[in-house]
Amino acid sequence: MNTLEFYEHLGHTRTVSSWCASAPREFGMLRAIGMSGRQLREMLTLESVLLALTGAVAGTVLGLVYGVLAVRSILGGSPIAILTSSDGTALTVLGILAATVFTGIAASVLPARRVRRMAVVDALHTSG
């Protein structure tokens, strides 16, 4: 993992943690109307994975477009030929997306545990 990926993962984890810390009343209300701790954990995990995938897909698409344009401006050729001529481009992209899903799951573990252990009454009385 290179430095940029590390900082992306760190930023994603901080985003999920700060979002969970800023919405205890919402989580308390969901628990009060009958959502189980397991359902809440699954919801937070799904939202975290969707957030990570949104960023990864947008970054991958923009990176491929800008990369193809840069190579085309230097070497010439068609965009399809540029994408298909490099070995392992599709596997690299799929690997990055798989790592992103893992990051989304890992980033949601601690915030989901904290929200799940929060007492419903305490969460509803929180002013944050």
Side-chain angles (χ1 to χ4, degrees):
M1 173 172 19
N2 64 26
T3 306
L4 290 177
E5 289 174 353
F6 172 76
Y7 285 121
E8 184 272 328
H9 298 317
L10 184 64
H12 177 75
T13 303
R14 289 184 53 138
T15 300
V16 173
S17 294
S18 66
W19 176 70
C20 289
S22 67
R25 292 183 88 182
E26 289 81 0
F27 297 129
M29 184 61 69
L30 289 171
R31 293 290 304 271
I33 61 172
M35 183 177 265
S36 70
R38 180 174 182 235
Q39 290 172 326
L40 191 59
R41 186 189 71 226
E42 290 173 356
M43 181 191 75
L44 289 173
T45 302
L46 180 64
E47 287 184 6
S48 178
V49 168
L50 289 175
L51 176 67
L53 278 176
T54 301
V57 168
T60 301
V61 168
L62 288 174
L64 286 173
V65 167
Y66 289 141
V68 165
L69 290 175
V71 170
R72 186 174 178 195
S73 70
I74 294 170
L75 301 176
S78 73
I80 301 299
I82 293 170
L83 283 176
T84 57
S85 67
S86 60
D87 295 329
T89 301
L91 290 177
T92 303
V93 170
L94 290 177
I96 290 170
L97 292 178
T100 301
V101 170
F102 176 74
T103 301
I105 292 170
S108 69
V109 170
L110 292 177
R113 181 180 295 162
R114 189 175 69 89
V115 168
R116 187 176 182 183
R117 291 182 180 175
M118 192 181 300
V120 175
V121 176
D122 292 340
L124 290 173
H125 285 292
T126 305
S127 63

